[in-house]
Amino acid sequence: TRRAALASVAAFGLATSIATTASADGMTFTMATSGSETDQRSVALADVFAPMVAGFADYKPGYNGTMFAQGAELEAIARGNLTMSITSAQELAQFFPEFSIFATGYVHQDAAHQVRVFNDPLMDPFKAKVEDELGVKLLSVMYLGKRHVNLRFTREEKDIQTPADLAGVNLRMPGTDAWQFLGKALGASPTPLAFTEVYTALSTGAVDGQDNPLPTVVDKKFYEVTKQIALTSHLVDLNYIAFSKETWDAMSPDQQLIVQRAADAAAAYGRLKQLDQENNLAEFIRSQGVEIYTPDLAAFRDHVQSQYVGSEAAASWPEGLLERINELGN
Ligand code: KDO
């Protein structure tokens, strides 16, 4: 039936695409991310996932948005042009608004909480919908880290203690509604921009700042073009390993089990590495001339949470879900 699936793909003229292909030797899993090759999630997939599936599949990653631009990956999987991506709840919320709950500020508490939420039955209808309506399986949850506000201003120029201090600050956020909402909820003026454009935009002053976890600040060298980080921890950010259902259905049950185990192992490995980096990078970033400090967290949390109450995003959340997520916290 894998051949039949390929035949039908060919019939639609997609045979020359970079979709999952089967050959006498096995399958090819293409993976697109806007992250770099040295991003821990990329490393985890290359070093843990790829060897585990190597018995029947070649892993072909494309980094830095070169294979597909940020935000185009899910559609590429749905159309049969890509096997895998490291996707976000914000991107899924473009198709299924209720995913915005997982992209909401100050909801997830830490990496372990994300895992409990992902593995809880509360996720089942979310996973089923993505699978049925988009042809994408969410295999595992990856940890990106605590996002903080990282600005070009020195602290003398702008001291960020509360959301009011971000008024008028042109803060780059990724380009979906859920991200823009969060940027506004923080008190800033969000500007949508693809991840691959951020360094240049910071260096030219096209934006005043960006938000990402400390490991990303180091991986992308944002410390070269910024002067301060206010540790707002406004989003304990996650990604999902997204996988083509068409490819999944073409595999044997044994292969499916191996892919699932490989995804879980990569996510677990990447999580530990990312947590370790997150806990150890502040000193290095400071040594590069970036001031790191903690603002009034209660002020940020209260303001951000109050912005979601009664919002359009919150209207899409299943009844009682936020309470259930909170119960799974600490
Ligand atoms: C970003 O664009 O800031 C972001 O951190 C958003 C995440 O959802 C994720 O897509 C990530 O970029 C990319 O994988 C690059 O690290």
Side-chain angles (χ1 to χ4, degrees):
T1 54
R2 202 164 67 205
R3 209 171 293 153
L6 276 175
S8 72
V9 166
F12 284 94
L14 295 171
T16 55
S17 75
I18 52 165
T20 301
T21 53
S23 67
D25 306 313
M27 311 176 94
T28 299
F29 293 168
T30 52
M31 194 287 293
T33 177
S34 53
S36 72
E37 187 170 358
T38 47
D39 176 294
Q40 284 310 319
R41 295 159 303 162
S42 303
V43 172
L45 287 175
D47 290 2
V48 179
F49 178 87
M52 285 177 76
V53 301
F56 58 93
D58 276 345
Y59 175 70
K60 291 242 158 62
Y63 303 113
N64 302 309
T66 47
M67 207 182 261
F68 288 97
Q70 184 173 37
E73 303 93 337
L74 283 172
E75 215 169 296
I77 299 176
R79 290 182 177 203
N81 294 337
L82 176 69
T83 319
M84 305 173 62
S85 76
I86 300 171
T87 195
S88 65
Q90 292 84 352
E91 283 160 359
L92 285 156
Q94 302 267 85
F95 300 91
F96 313 107
E98 62 271 33
F99 265 91
S100 61
I101 197 165
F102 307 116
T104 295
Y106 299 105
V107 167
H108 283 115
Q109 298 172 3
D110 55 26
H113 189 201
Q114 291 177 348
V115 175
R116 286 197 293 276
V117 169
F118 186 77
N119 294 328
D120 191 85
L122 75 83
M123 274 308 288
D124 293 349
F126 285 86
K127 292 171 185 165
K129 203 164 185 185
V130 178
E131 210 172 305
D132 296 345
E133 295 182 28
L134 208 58
V136 171
K137 284 182 76 72
L138 302 180
L139 294 182
S140 212
V141 65
M142 294 190 124
Y143 180 67
L144 181 55
K146 283 179 273 174
R147 296 180 82 101
H148 307 297
V149 171
N150 175 206
L151 303 178
R152 298 176 77 236
F153 308 116
T154 63
R155 199 170 168 195
E156 288 67 44
E157 288 166 336
K158 224 171 229 318
D159 182 31
I160 306 300
Q161 289 302 323
T162 71
D165 299 322
L166 281 174
V169 170
N170 183 2
L171 185 68
R172 175 271 169 180
M173 300 290 284
T176 74
D177 294 349
W179 284 115
Q180 298 300 302
F181 190 97
L182 179 58
K184 273 194 203 113
L186 283 167
S189 301
T191 297
L193 198 66
F195 183 70
T196 43
E197 312 290 318
V198 177
Y199 183 95
T200 307
L202 287 169
S203 68
T204 60
V207 297
D208 297 329
Q210 67 91 30
D211 84 306
N212 257 297
L214 298 186
T216 307
V217 171
V218 172
D219 189 54
K220 297 304 292 186
K221 296 191 164 63
F222 293 151
Y223 56 79
E224 291 178 349
V225 283
T226 57
K227 288 289 178 209
Q228 65 160 291
I229 296 175
L231 296 171
T232 44
S233 301
H234 52 271
L235 187 69
V236 181
D237 204 9
L238 58 75
N239 293 101
Y240 305 111
I241 300 179
F243 195 89
S244 157
K245 182 168 154 36
E246 190 188 356
T247 305
W248 181 268
D249 290 343
M251 295 190 296
S252 70
D254 277 356
Q255 291 171 335
Q256 291 173 348
L257 193 65
I258 292 168
V259 167
Q260 181 62 60
R261 284 197 182 142
D264 289 338
Y269 174 88
R271 184 177 304 117
L272 288 180
K273 295 272 267 194
Q274 193 77 344
L275 282 166
D276 182 59
Q277 285 202 3
E278 208 169 24
N279 291 332
N280 290 301
L281 285 175
E283 202 181 319
F284 169 76
I285 297 171
R286 284 192 175 110
S287 78
Q288 302 301 302
V290 176
E291 188 163 358
I292 302 182
Y293 62 100
T294 306
D296 182 345
L297 283 179
F300 271 101
R301 187 179 298 108
D302 290 351
H303 188 260
V304 168
Q305 288 179 339
S306 73
Q307 300 304 299
Y308 284 92
V309 176
S311 68
E312 201 182 310
S316 69
W317 302 346
E319 177 115 24
L321 191 67
L322 187 59
E323 291 73 13
R324 178 67 193 136
I325 293 173
N326 289 338
E327 276 167 25
L328 293 169
N330 298 312

